[in-house]
Amino acid sequence: MMQVIGICRFSYPEEGGFQREHKSLEERCAYLYDPTRLNVRFNCLETLTLPSIRAQSDADFTFAILIGDSLPEAAKDRLKTLTADIPQVQIIERESGPYRQITQEVIDSLRLPDAELCAQFRLDDDDAVGLQFVEDIRTVTEKSSGLLDFGGKMAVDFSTGFAVRPGKDGLRAALLHQQLWTPGLAIVMRPHSKRSILNYGHHKLHQEMPTVTIPDKNMFVRSFHGDNDSLAVRIGATYDYQSLDEFTVQYFKETFNIDNDAVKAAWSDD
């Protein structure tokens, strides 16, 4: 049996893990919990991330959303409402603490002792995965399981997907190939493995374990907007973004369960 666990940090005020620097926990919480910023994160979570989790073709997985115990009550209530119809979601509250330690503890708390393998993936709260993501992790692992003999772990990398920019006119998207991006990535471990997916630098996974790259499926959506932490210390990536036409609107709905009209509505309210 292989267990599948995903983890998403929703404005969790960890120590480390952010490229934006803050002088104190209070300053970090003030930044994370700013109402305007939180609304942007909720817009992304509601229209991109959660739809893709809700409609997975293989429903046998757990998706942990890590929040701080200091998250405002109104935001906690909103998050619970948004996820109430997704049985795979577990909202987990923790005090602020070291990034890698806390996420390791969360994943360890969810691991089943009798699982022969544990597949793990991580998503930012503004990204999405293809609806066959969990199913295909299992399929690729089954076909490549011999690689687990080399260290007891392996990575599965779906390297094709879309960069998107959400806005009041809907999504603008660019098809691209990008190896070892987190929205299309999973690691598979045997039970004795003590580390989790958050204990590895995703862009260096090929230096840590055998990696299987699947380039022929559009499996991830990574969004770029004004609040990306990953853009804090570098110039934002530019891609050949195109507005969705009738065909691509339907394609995003069928492939990622992303409704372009819902994106328009969410971003028009800002």
Side-chain angles (χ1 to χ4, degrees), residues 12-246:
Y12 174 69
E14 65 229 11
E15 300 170 14
F18 282 96
Q19 294 184 19
R20 282 184 173 92
E21 297 292 338
H22 299 101
K23 295 179 181 179
S24 66
L25 176 60
E26 292 74 20
E27 184 179 308
R28 175 157 289 182
C29 286
Y31 161 72
L32 291 175
Y33 300 157
D34 173 78
T36 300
R37 179 192 178 277
L38 269 181
N39 194 54
V40 170
R41 308 312 295 196
F42 270 117
N43 286 347
C44 292
L45 186 74
E46 181 175 7
T47 63
L48 301 177
T49 311
L50 291 180
S52 74
I53 294 298
R54 182 180 287 111
Q56 284 294 304
S57 60
D58 182 339
D60 184 15
F61 67 100
T62 300
F63 190 69
I65 299 180
L66 173 62
I67 63 172
D69 59 0
S70 55
L71 184 69
E73 288 301 320
K76 290 181 184 178
D77 291 341
R78 184 175 177 182
L79 183 60
K80 290 175 183 177
T81 299
L82 289 176
T83 59
D85 66 334
I86 312 175
Q88 294 84 5
V89 168
Q90 293 192 32
I91 299 172
I92 298 177
E93 286 190 33
R94 291 287 188 273
E95 295 181 353
S96 178
Y99 159 65
R100 297 188 186 279
Q101 175 185 327
I102 297 298
T103 51
Q104 175 77 59
E105 291 174 359
V106 169
I107 289 178
D108 285 348
S109 72
L110 298 172
R111 293 189 69 166
L112 299 175
D114 58 342
E116 297 173 3
L117 296 173
C118 181
Q120 303 169 16
F121 67 94
R122 54 184 286 194
L123 280 184
D124 287 343
D125 58 13
D126 54 1
D127 296 336
V129 290
L131 301 188
Q132 291 183 304
F133 184 60
V134 172
E135 179 183 349
D136 284 356
I137 289 171
R138 294 187 192 277
T139 299
V140 173
T141 301
E142 180 180 354
K143 293 180 179 296
S144 310
S145 59
L147 293 176
L148 291 164
D149 294 337
F150 299 91
K153 53 188 178 292
M154 61 178 280
V156 179
D157 177 28
F158 297 95
S159 62
T160 308
F162 295 89
V164 301
R165 294 190 68 88
K168 63 182 181 180
D169 296 321
L171 291 180
R172 299 177 66 232
L175 179 66
L176 69 154
H177 301 273
Q178 185 69 48
Q179 287 183 283
L180 300 176
W181 262 12
T182 53
L185 188 62
I187 62 171
V188 182
M189 296 179 161
R190 285 182 171 157
H192 66 267
S193 299
K194 301 301 183 183
R195 300 168 75 185
S196 76
I197 190 167
L198 275 301
N199 295 117
Y200 296 95
H202 63 90
H203 57 290
K204 294 182 179 180
L205 271 181
H206 62 290
Q207 299 176 12
E208 301 275 358
M209 62 189 75
T211 302
V212 179
T213 300
I214 308 298
D216 62 347
K217 269 196 167 184
N218 296 328
M219 192 61 82
F220 66 78
V221 170
R222 185 173 187 184
S223 67
F224 290 84
H225 49 84
D227 191 54
N228 289 107
D229 180 65
S230 61
L231 302 184
V233 294
R234 62 180 174 87
I235 298 173
T238 57
Y239 302 108
D240 184 21
Y241 293 105
Q242 302 291 327
S243 297
L244 303 191
D245 58 20
E246 183 177 348

Side-chain angles (χ1 to χ4, degrees), residues 131 161-162 175 216-219 244-258:
L131 301 188
F162 295 89
L175 179 66
D216 62 347
K217 269 196 167 184
N218 296 328
M219 192 61 82
L244 303 191
D245 58 20
E246 183 177 348
F247 172 80
T248 48
V249 164
Q250 185 65 25
Y251 182 82
F252 267 75
K253 180 63 176 176
E254 293 176 352
T255 307
F256 303 105
N257 197 33
I258 293 174

